[in-house]
Structure formats: C-alpha cells, structure tokens
Amino acid sequence: EAGVAQSPRYKIIEKRQSVAFWCNPISGHATLYWYQQILGQGPKLLIQFQNNGVVDDSQLPKDRFSAERLKGVDSTLKIQPAKLEDSAVYLCASSLFQGANSEQYFGPGTRLTVT
Amino acid sequence: QQPVQSPQAVILREGEDAVINCSSSKALYSVHWYRQKHGEAPVFLMILLKGGEQKGHEKISASFNEKKQQSSLYLTASQLSYSGTYFCGTEISSNTGKLIFGQGTTLQVKP
C-alpha cells in the first residue's frame, strides 16, 4: 500500500513570500492532519480534516495559514506571508477514521526554510 | 497541556533495556507512541486506550496508568534499529484523534 505523499520535500523562501504544500493521504483514509515540527520538538497539530470538513483548527495561525481538502482526498497547506519563525518541517498524516483507536501514518514532510 | 517525557535522552548498549515515560496534567483518553529517525517521518508503535485496550507492534510493550495520567514504553533487549526519538501523543478529548505530542526522548543504541 502506498504511503502518504508530500511535495515538495524542501523549500527555501524569503520572509513575506508565500508557499504551498501538497499532501496525498493513503487511499481510503478519511482523516487528514497537518503538523508543524520545529527542530528538536514534537509535532504540533495545525489542522485536522474529516473527509473535506475541518474538525479542529484551533492552533492554525489563521492570519497567515490556510488549508483545504477539496473532495476529501488531497490537501494543501498555504502560508502567506511567511515569517522567519515558520521555518520547520510540515508533516501530513492520515488515519483510516477519526478516533482514538486509529493510528496515524505520516508522510516524509516538507522542510521549509524562511530566510 | 503538552505531556512531559522523561528521560530527555538515553544511551544504551545493544541488549540493554530502557523505559520511557510520558506524563500528563490532564485526564487522558488515549496515549500513542511513535518513533522518528533523523530526517524521517514518525512511525507508529502503539496505542493505549482508556479501559485497557492496546494496539501495536508485537515486540513493543507499554503501560497506561489512567489514574496517574501516565504511560511508559518498555524497550527490551534493545537493537541498533531502536535508535531514534520517541514521542508520546496524548489525547485528552474523547475519541477525536487529536494528539498533543511531548517533546521527545532521544534513544541511542551503541554496539
């Protein structure tokens, strides 16, 4: 079974520029998560989708970050404008269903460097 | 709300055992454990649910003390492949799948 796909793998931008990340979850997985992982820290949930609806976006900085999951499959995460503190690895994960007993499968991540 | 993991780092020789702890100030619905190798994605190890149900890899064992809001991951007869950073993810809202991850415990296994 194919895993979670993400692109690009690496991105370097200047502050105040915009950037977009793409995620394709495992086929059939209803729940999709975007995490931000700053170097040396654990992943921090930004947004959780169930199919194409948002379940939780309480930690998403909505003044600059946006995300969508059209048709309940692929998802994009956008940052506009980027700040230096946005430098991190952005991980996408998916799970078969929403619930405590559903393990999350992570993609390889996109490493963002903001200069 | 972030769970606290201990120790922060541990170095072992092959064949030795280790315990990694995860403690929360909030009542927990479930605890998830993941391992992340440098530059790679986190990989699922185990889920422990309130009520005693567990799900995960056969060679990994863990415990969940609901009253103390603590979980421990037991790594026995460690192998070189066990090296990496271990994260616990805690779920404090009932059955949402929303996890809050700890800061990680770095494990290094030496030959």
Side-chain angles (χ1 to χ4, degrees):
Chain A
E1 147 180 290
V4 176
Q6 290 188 246
S7 67
R9 292 295 312 277
Y10 305 92
K11 191 74 177 179
I12 300 174
I13 61 172
E14 295 181 350
K15 59 183 179 183
R16 292 188 289 275
Q17 286 187 325
S18 63
V19 64
F21 313 128
W22 173 82
C23 172
N24 181 238
I26 293 173
S27 178
H29 279 199
T31 312
L32 185 147
Y33 312 80
W34 281 103
Y35 290 91
Q36 179 192 60
Q37 186 174 27
I38 293 173
L39 187 64
Q41 299 182 18
K44 172 188 168 185
L45 180 68
L46 293 175
I47 189 167
Q48 177 183 346
F49 291 94
Q50 176 68 12
N51 297 311
N52 59 351
V54 175
V55 174
D56 190 302
D57 63 357
S58 57
Q59 297 196 93
L60 187 73
K62 298 180 186 65
D63 57 334
R64 299 184 299 107
F65 285 64
S66 64
E68 60 182 10
R69 190 183 184 196
L70 298 176
K71 301 181 182 178
V73 182
D74 293 4
S75 177
T76 56
L77 176 70
K78 295 179 182 178
I79 307 175
Q80 181 180 11
K83 292 185 176 182
L84 294 176
E85 59 260 35
D86 297 333
S87 293
V89 175
Y90 290 85
L91 295 164
C92 178
S94 69
S95 61
L96 187 59
F97 54 88
Q98 175 185 324
N101 198 23
S102 186
E103 61 267 37
Q104 297 182 24
Y105 293 87
F106 286 81
T110 296
R111 182 176 298 276
L112 174 68
T113 302
V114 183
T115 62
Chain B
Q1 287 188 348
Q2 184 182 33
V4 176
Q5 291 184 230
S6 63
Q8 287 191 335
V10 60
I11 300 174
L12 298 175
R13 293 286 181 188
E14 269 188 298
E16 292 182 339
D17 301 339
V19 180
I20 300 173
N21 302 300
C22 176
S23 181
S24 174
S25 60
K26 298 273 189 180
L28 299 176
Y29 192 82
S30 71
V31 179
H32 297 221
W33 286 96
Y34 288 81
R35 177 173 59 217
Q36 186 176 32
K37 294 184 180 287
H38 184 69
E40 299 181 9
V43 173
F44 167 74
L45 296 176
M46 177 161 282
I47 295 173
L48 302 106
L49 298 171
K50 186 177 179 180
E53 185 180 350
Q54 295 188 3
K55 176 181 176 181
H57 295 286
E58 293 178 358
K59 294 187 177 181
I60 300 289
S61 65
S63 64
F64 179 20
N65 186 323
E66 297 172 32
K67 288 184 179 179
K68 292 187 176 180
Q69 295 136 216
Q70 294 175 346
S71 176
S72 295
L73 185 70
Y74 305 98
L75 301 169
T76 57
S78 59
Q79 304 171 17
L80 295 175
S81 61
Y82 287 11
S83 294
T85 302
Y86 290 77
F87 293 100
C88 68
T90 55
E91 183 182 22
I92 61 175
S93 300
S94 163
N95 214 23
T96 61
K98 176 182 176 181
L99 299 179
I100 303 172
F101 284 92
Q103 81 280 15
T105 295
T106 301
L107 174 71
Q108 185 179 4
V109 181
K110 293 186 173 182

